[in-house]
């Protein structure tokens, strides 16, 4: 299990290609991570309110990012941190 800060994508990334080659959509449950393989399913838990969401890794975070994950707007809404912009989370890999 990994623990750290989560942020979410700015609207300007809508429609752009992700590192995996997919087109980014704010209304999908996807995320960027520094090292996990594309397609990895993650259970993200917001430690401030216990809300959870399952996302699929389809993009890369930059190595110098202070966040451990960057999620889509839809995922951020399900985790209830859109107003704050950043929140403390745990990441748990879901076995296929």
């Amino acid at each position: 299990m990994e623990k750290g800060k989560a942020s979410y994508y700015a609207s300007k990334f809508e429609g752009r290609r992700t590192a995996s080659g997919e087109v980014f959509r704010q209304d999908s449950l996807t995320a960027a991570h520094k090292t996990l393989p594309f397609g990895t399913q993650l259970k993200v838990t917001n430690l401030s309110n216990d809300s959870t969401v399952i996302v699929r890794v389809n993009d890369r975070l930059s190595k110098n990012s202070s966040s451990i994950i960057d999620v889509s707007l839809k995922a951020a809404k399900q985790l209830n941190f859109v107003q704050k912009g950043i929140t403390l989370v745990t990441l748990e890999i879901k076995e296929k």
Side-chain angles (χ1 to χ4, degrees):
M1 191 171 312
E2 204 175 344
K3 181 177 174 180
K5 288 191 286 188
S7 53
Y8 67 94
Y9 282 85
S11 299
K12 70 178 183 181
F13 293 105
E14 177 70 25
R16 293 191 187 177
R17 292 234 173 255
T18 63
S20 68
E22 278 181 55
V23 173
F24 175 71
R25 296 285 179 231
Q26 286 283 28
D27 63 356
S28 61
L29 292 174
T30 56
H33 189 273
K34 291 178 185 174
T35 58
L36 287 172
F38 296 138
T40 301
Q41 301 271 333
L42 291 173
K43 178 182 178 185
V44 184
T45 302
N46 184 340
L47 296 176
S48 68
N49 61 23
D50 284 334
S51 54
T52 64
V53 68
I54 304 290
V55 295
R56 181 176 48 82
V57 175
N58 74 339
D59 204 3
R60 283 288 165 248
L61 265 178
S62 72
K63 297 284 185 222
N64 55 11
S65 173
S66 62
S67 297
I68 61 166
I69 194 167
D70 205 3
V71 299
S72 63
L73 181 60
K74 183 175 182 177
K77 285 179 179 174
Q78 288 190 26
L79 291 168
N80 296 303
F81 77 95
V82 173
Q83 291 293 309
K84 285 172 59 179
I86 288 180
T87 193
L88 197 59
V89 297
T90 57
L91 305 181
E92 194 180 329
I93 294 174
K94 302 301 288 175
E95 297 305 321
K96 288 194 167 70

